[in-house]
Amino acid sequence: MGETSSSRTISTQLQQIAEQAERYPEMVFTTLANRIDADFLREAYRRVRKDAAPGVDGVTAEEYAENLEDNLKGLHERLRTGRYVAPPVKRVWLDKEDGGKRPIGKPAFEDKIVQRAVVMLLGAIYEQDFYDFSHGFREGHSQHQALRELREKCLGMNIRWIVDADVSGFFDSLDQGKLREVIKQRVNDGGILRLIGKWLKAGVQEGNRVTYPETGTPQGGVVSPMLSNIFLHHVLDGWFVKEVQPRMKGRCFLIRWADDFIIGCEYEQDARRIMKVLPKRFGRFGLTIHPKKTALVKFRKPDPREEKASGNGTFEFLGFTHYWVKTRRGFWTIVRKTAQKRLNRFVRTTWQWCRTHRHLPIREQHQYLSLKLLGFYQYHAVRMNYRALLVARDEAERAWRRWLSRRTWKGRVSWEQFYAIRRVWQLPKPRILHNI
């Protein structure tokens, strides 16, 4: 009962801050850190994911909870007296669609609590400032919502040109000094700014080696998505709404998910103007628009009167390739399919897993492959994308059959045996889950 009452009190405080931020859009908040008391930290603890891997200190959520009240009191005391030290972030590398590697940080669990507390305060303020077309890592927003909005705007605004932009290494090259300057325009609280500074300077640990990058914010941290949204709201979103759109001759829109964004324009001359000024705008803030990965795409309903050579382009956004197609009724519409790089990565990782785990019991292999396929379906099962789902399932089954047949002779599974296994241990069949 006490926890529920405390949660309600914190929610009321955050709502009051949000109402202030909405009523006074030019207001600068200077007294926020004093709100982070033991009750506030307890609520932050409640909102932190408990199933993530531990950070550099090796402390899990379960271990921290064993002595929760004393831990939170000690944490509050260190924050109050300025003795809190942000530990380095443990770094691991994940595969990217293009074959490269993407770094992900794993903060210590206690650090996640503090970061969540700061995010709660910043979110109460900045959620009133953020535009609806910014969807990344925000409550009430999703990637499928962004995809739906993208299609609706292309169709409803007669969009013919797409600016498909790519920011080079955003999370690694973000200018920390400029980030603090941007935050100060809305939040100029010394305690909050010091905590953000500690996280930016905490360092990154790989193995036994700790480095201290002068730029960027570690991916994977609780506070990193909020900081990136604040920075790009200033660099891109506000600039687009206040300076770009009023100067365009036709209709245009922006859809953004974190550092991945699409700009659609009705007229080619508007799109080319944006293409020209975009690198300059980002360059002012220490960011680079990738010259080879950024493209201007002709994207409109095909006109039968034009020569076929004029063509019509496609573009990728949030793991899907977007293109025009004619329906059975003879109408042109925009559909999407799983991007080939994303599908290739799924197939590659599935084959690798089947190869390295081929000696596990059939039940365990079936369970893992089923979960992996269901995860793929959960995101990619959109209308007109059924073929990609079938390919994913067929490739998973092919990999499973191949590596079961390559086990040592005592456990080797023949083709006939596999077909018998498949009748009992069927992989989940795909079905469309998202009507977008």
Side-chain angles (χ1 to χ4, degrees):
M1 184 68 178
E3 184 179 357
T4 303
S5 175
S6 175
S7 297
R8 289 175 180 172
T9 301
I10 302 304
S11 297
T12 301
Q13 291 181 25
L14 295 174
Q15 183 61 35
Q16 291 171 348
I17 295 172
E19 290 172 357
Q20 265 191 316
E22 186 176 17
R23 190 178 301 115
Y24 306 106
E26 303 299 324
M27 178 180 178
V28 179
F29 289 80
T30 57
T31 54
L32 290 174
N34 63 326
R35 295 177 180 268
I36 304 179
D37 55 15
D39 288 338
F40 203 94
L41 290 171
R42 191 178 299 107
E43 178 63 15
Y45 163 82
R46 191 181 70 83
R47 299 187 185 189
V48 168
R49 281 184 55 187
K50 311 297 192 299
D51 58 348
V56 294
D57 58 0
V59 177
T60 64
E62 292 78 9
E63 293 170 342
Y64 196 86
E66 290 175 0
N67 197 20
L68 180 61
E69 290 304 316
D70 288 342
N71 286 334
L72 292 179
K73 288 179 183 178
L75 176 59
H76 172 241
E77 183 63 22
R78 278 177 283 139
L79 288 169
R80 187 185 65 81
T81 57
R83 293 184 291 111
Y84 181 77
V85 178
V89 175
K90 185 178 180 180
R91 173 176 282 178
V92 296
W93 296 86
L94 300 180
D95 292 331
K96 295 173 64 176
E97 285 91 346
D98 58 6
K101 296 285 186 179
R102 178 166 60 96
I104 291 292
K106 295 181 179 180
F109 183 76
E110 186 173 71
D111 203 40
K112 292 180 186 178
I113 298 175
V114 185
Q115 289 189 30
R116 176 56 63 190
V118 171
V119 167
M120 288 160 58
L121 291 170
L122 294 178
I125 298 168
Y126 282 101
E127 279 297 324
Q128 318 313 313
D129 299 346
F130 291 158
Y131 294 101
D132 289 339
F133 58 74
S134 170
H135 295 280
F137 310 109
R138 295 177 60 193
E139 188 174 349
H141 293 257
S142 70
Q143 290 167 304
H144 292 108
Q145 184 179 343
L147 291 167
R148 180 183 293 108
E149 184 177 329
L150 171 61
R151 181 177 182 273
E152 290 174 352
K153 287 188 177 295
C154 283
L155 292 172
M157 299 173 70
N158 193 30
I159 297 301
R160 301 177 180 181
W161 296 88
I162 294 291
V163 178
D164 185 5
D166 183 271
V167 183
S168 298
F170 171 76
F171 285 95
D172 292 329
S173 59
L174 189 150
D175 189 304
Q176 298 176 357
K178 292 188 183 329
L179 171 63
R180 284 192 288 266
E181 291 175 9
V182 168
I183 294 174
K184 284 181 181 179
Q185 296 178 21
R186 195 67 158 127
V187 176
N188 196 11
D189 179 287
I192 298 295
L193 292 173
R194 278 192 293 274
L195 281 173
I196 292 174
K198 287 180 179 182
W199 290 320
L200 295 175
K201 301 295 184 183
V204 176
Q205 179 174 316
E206 293 185 69
N208 296 323
R209 182 168 171 264
V210 180
T211 57
Y212 299 91
E214 296 182 0
T215 60
T217 174
Q219 297 185 57
V222 176
V223 77
S224 295
M226 175 60 70
L227 297 181
S228 66
N229 273 337
I230 292 171
F231 196 61
L232 286 173
H233 171 78
H234 179 81
V235 174
L236 178 62
D237 302 354
W239 169 74
F240 182 82
V241 170
K242 297 173 184 176
E243 298 186 34
V244 175
Q245 280 186 316
R247 291 176 168 84
M248 298 293 101
K249 293 186 177 181
R251 290 172 289 183
C252 61
F253 71 84
L254 168 66
I255 302 287
R256 182 172 67 81
W257 181 275
D259 61 328
D260 194 4
F261 64 93
I262 291 290
I263 298 175
C265 296
E266 188 175 6
Y267 299 134
E268 180 180 2
Q269 57 184 329
D270 289 341
R272 293 197 178 278
R273 287 179 65 188
I274 292 175
M275 282 282 290
K276 186 176 180 181
V277 301
L278 205 57
K280 298 176 183 178
R281 173 66 182 179
F282 275 73
R284 286 179 53 190
F285 295 90
L287 298 172
T288 304
I289 297 294
H290 199 295
K292 293 184 178 179
K293 294 183 179 180
T294 300
L296 179 60
V297 180
K298 180 182 177 182
F299 189 77
R300 59 179 177 176
K301 180 170 63 176
D303 189 340
R305 296 171 297 180
E306 294 185 352
E307 295 182 9
K308 190 175 181 180
S310 64
N312 199 50
T314 65
F315 66 92
E316 291 184 8
F317 184 61
L318 297 182
F320 289 93
T321 299
H322 302 254
Y323 61 101
W324 283 91
V325 70
K326 184 179 284 189
T327 66
R328 293 179 180 178
R329 296 183 179 181
F331 299 105
W332 285 99
T333 189
I334 299 171
V335 297
R336 59 192 71 79
K337 63 181 179 180
T338 300
Q340 192 61 49
K341 290 187 294 186
R342 185 70 64 92
L343 184 57
N344 289 344
R345 183 178 68 174
F346 175 85
V347 172
R348 183 175 65 252
T349 57
T350 302
W351 275 75
Q352 289 173 348
W353 189 91
C354 289
R355 177 178 179 271
T356 56
H357 296 84
R358 61 186 183 270
H359 292 293
L360 287 178
I362 301 295
R363 181 189 296 272
E364 291 184 27
Q365 294 190 42
H366 174 263
Q367 184 179 22
Y368 174 85
L369 290 172
S370 296
L371 290 174
K372 189 174 180 65
L373 276 171
L374 289 173
F376 186 86
Y377 298 161
Q378 185 60 40
Y379 183 74
H380 293 275
V382 301
R383 290 177 61 190
M384 305 296 287
N385 192 41
Y386 191 75
R387 183 178 177 278
L389 308 182
L390 283 177
V391 170
R393 184 181 187 275
D394 290 346
E395 286 294 328
E397 187 174 275
R398 197 160 69 92
W400 195 22
R401 183 180 65 186
R402 166 67 181 275
W403 290 109
L404 283 178
S405 71
R406 298 293 295 271
R407 301 208 289 191
T408 56
W409 69 271
K410 288 185 178 181
R412 183 173 297 165
V413 175
S414 66
W415 298 134
E416 293 77 11
Q417 289 173 320
F418 178 78
Y419 293 134
I421 290 171
R422 190 176 63 173
R423 284 194 293 270
V424 178
W425 304 100
Q426 288 189 7
L427 295 178
K429 296 179 180 179
R431 62 187 182 91
I432 299 301
L433 301 174
H434 306 286
N435 186 26
I436 59 173

